[in-house]
Amino acid sequence: MMRKFPEGFLWGGATAANQVEGGWKEGGKGISVSDCARHHLDVDVENYKAHNHITSKDIEEALASDDDSLYPKRHGSQFYYHYKEDIKMFAEMGFKVYRMSIAWSRIFPNGDDEQPNEAGLKFYDDVFDECAKYGIEPLVTMSHYEPPLNLVLKYNGWYNRKLVGFFETFVKTICERYKNKVKYWLTFNEVDSMIRHPYTTGGLIEDRFPGIKWNQVIFQAMHHQFVASALATKICHEIISDSMVGCMLTKLTYYPYSCKPEDVLQAQQDMRGTYCYSDTQVFGEYPAYLLAKFKNEGVEIVKEPGDDEVMKKYPVDFVSFSYYMSSCSAASSEGLDTAVGNTVTAVKNPYLPSSEWGWQIDPIGLRISMVDLYDRYRKPLFIVENGLGAKDVVLPDGTIDDQYRIDYFDCHFKEMLNAIEIDGVECLGYTSWGCIDIVSESTKQMSKRYGFIYVDADDYGKGTYKRIPKKSFYWYKKVIETNGACLFED
Ligand code: BG6
């Protein structure tokens, strides 16, 4: 029997405005949190704390500096200027879907403006029209690390309830404007990342909350995003009747380091630590174990009347997630090796290889994750991020031989099909992360490349920004063309 993916499977790629667009001051755009995120190549690329712990002083310095080379998300990959060429290349690969985000600060430069910025709205009109030209369906993330900076400085970010209202206005505006162009939406990218990088996700700066427990700040901000996500789902359904709205979870998959019950228990706890957020968004209420955690840690969520009802009434239609790696859990990590990963550290799995950045490569973990999520939620899944960050080399003849990336995808795709065919998982589609090279979120490096398309720029933003298809570009094109059948050819 010839094996291939289900008819209509949405193959494509993914980016986020803050990492790909550049043009940080173009067309009336306001400054976002990401425009003030400095890289620390001089410190240590694996030191996530250095990259993600932002202070008020850091913001002052960022605002005083016009130097794009220190703030890589200001230049991104210059999609803002190259989008026609980029979408054309996506179409050449045969993309059915392109996951992207709308920068809130292009539409409402300060976040609390009375009126939207027409030039910003027009930019995304043009992007969607370009996609439509090639029959590419946009999948749009409403918020991917892009709160306008003004909302941080004036209101203390998502800790402030007012953000819910500002976000509602933003969502109404984009849904009205793009109602005939966008059907698939995601509310908050990796809503759980509030815990790992509260500044980027929630606009929270610790030194602005003297006297308040940091955990309290984080979970209160997250509560506001849960309510805002439910309201966004409501708005989207009201304005676009056939729309599909998803949540987006960082799928951190943990295995017990051994079969010692203590390790198994630790793995279960760690898994709950990632599921609790999608549980909330899918079931429309905080799970009992998250409420217990709040109680045990003395966190008291301040709710407004109606919050619980809104969350219950407007859960998501599908479950999307990022998957890059898995790791192990042990009751005691003493004497065990540590693995770094997507802004987390955990116990290293001795059976798995790692990427150049120490992320443990585990294709079977993708199948396990899909089965777990589908069994838990019984809602369609969408894999919206997956891929290999690697250092690519342009050969003297101008080509890029990224066979390692092809090997990575090849085994992940086969496991994805196993989950669909053998385990009965419903999966709407797959968008590889950073389908064109973009600035890394955790380290802000350009040299951590994920793309099928090479962008000629270095970590300091220097380069021609010329686009070059890598070997994987032609390989992915064939995968899409044959709907995965070529994966099983000799
Ligand atoms: C996900 C984020 O967590 O991981 C992306 O949604 C990010 O924004 C991606 O880029 C990969 O991480 P990194 O740090 O390699 O860019």
Side-chain angles (χ1 to χ4, degrees), residues 53-74:
H53 185 74
I54 309 270
T55 62
S56 294
K57 187 163 166 280
D58 293 327
I59 301 295
E60 269 171 45
E61 281 174 14
L63 290 176
S65 169
D66 253 346
D67 189 348
D68 287 16
S69 69
L70 298 178
Y71 299 92
K73 290 175 164 190
R74 293 179 179 181

Side-chain angles (χ1 to χ4, degrees), residues 66 120 221 223 265 267 320 419 422 454:
D66 253 346
H223 174 72
L265 177 67
S320 84
I422 303 173
Y454 185 89

Side-chain angles (χ1 to χ4, degrees), residues 14 21 47 106 138 218 253 264 279-280 295 391 397 412 415 444 459 473:
E21 281 180 7
N47 184 349
R106 273 199 201 287
I218 287 177
T253 298
V264 177
D279 280 0
T280 306
K295 195 165 165 222
K391 286 200 170 114
D397 66 358
H412 281 79
E415 293 302 337
K444 325 282 180 279
D459 285 338
F473 178 100

Side-chain angles (χ1 to χ4, degrees), residues 94-354:
F95 277 22
K96 314 281 178 229
V97 63
Y98 170 41
R99 176 185 174 215
M100 49 172 279
S101 69
I102 293 181
W104 189 352
S105 60
R106 273 199 201 287
I107 312 300
F108 289 96
N110 302 296
D112 60 355
D113 317 70
E114 291 284 315
Q115 294 301 324
N117 169 34
E118 178 53 33
L121 287 166
K122 166 87 171 51
F123 170 66
Y124 294 107
D125 259 326
D126 295 345
V127 169
F128 297 141
D129 290 347
E130 208 58 27
C131 287
K133 211 159 108 181
Y134 302 104
I136 298 174
E137 189 87 51
L139 162 62
V140 175
T141 318
M142 295 170 177
S143 178
H144 193 134
Y145 311 151
E146 284 131 0
L149 187 70
N150 177 57
L151 297 181
V152 178
L153 302 181
K154 202 159 153 194
Y155 302 94
N156 269 337
W158 276 95
Y159 181 70
N160 192 321
R161 176 77 197 198
K162 285 203 169 128
L163 271 274
V164 176
F166 298 139
F167 190 71
E168 265 189 276
T169 307
F170 167 62
V171 172
K172 270 184 202 147
T173 308
I174 56 176
C175 286
E176 272 300 340
R177 178 76 172 219
Y178 307 124
K179 61 180 173 222
N180 299 319
K181 300 184 181 183
V182 182
K183 176 178 163 194
Y184 294 100
W185 298 85
L186 303 178
T187 56
F188 291 90
N189 182 68
E190 296 185 342
V191 75
D192 49 287
S193 64
M194 184 80 79
I195 293 176
R196 300 187 300 279
H197 36 79
Y199 166 74
T200 332
T201 304
L204 307 175
I205 299 176
E206 199 167 354
D207 61 54
R208 293 176 64 99
F209 296 93
I212 312 181
K213 258 195 334 195
W214 191 223
N215 235 11
Q216 173 72 35
V217 174
I218 287 177
F219 285 112
Q220 185 63 52
M222 209 188 260
H223 174 72
H224 292 150
Q225 289 201 343
F226 284 142
V227 174
S229 173
L231 287 168
T233 307
K234 171 181 186 279
I235 294 166
C236 207
H237 284 164
E238 279 169 4
I239 300 178
I240 314 167
S241 58
D242 64 342
S243 60
M244 296 266 290
V245 186
C247 58
M248 202 293 200
L249 155 83
T250 321
K251 185 66 185 71
L252 299 172
T253 298
Y254 294 98
Y255 304 141
Y257 184 72
S258 77
C259 52
K260 223 170 47 184
E262 289 84 347
D263 287 354
V264 177
L265 177 67
Q266 188 56 50
Q268 188 184 51
Q269 298 289 332
D270 290 342
M271 291 294 274
R272 278 181 142 193
T274 136
Y275 285 137
C276 55
Y277 311 107
S278 43
D279 280 0
T280 306
Q281 290 186 292
V282 175
F283 301 130
E285 61 190 14
Y286 287 111
Y289 63 97
L290 187 53
L291 293 174
K293 177 185 163 71
F294 291 162
K295 195 165 165 222
N296 296 333
E297 293 178 11
V299 171
E300 279 177 33
I301 303 289
V302 180
K303 293 181 184 171
E304 281 203 355
D307 280 5
D308 287 340
E309 289 71 18
V310 163
M311 282 166 64
K312 189 78 200 168
K313 203 162 166 201
Y314 306 103
V316 289
D317 304 317
F318 66 96
V319 175
S320 84
F321 63 99
S322 59
Y323 174 85
Y324 293 96
M325 54 170 291
S326 70
S327 38
C328 290
S329 302
S332 161
S333 50
E334 218 183 297
L336 301 177
D337 288 340
T338 303
V340 291
N342 196 351
T343 52
V344 286
T345 50
V347 174
K348 194 167 164 43
N349 186 331
Y351 299 101
L352 296 177
S354 300

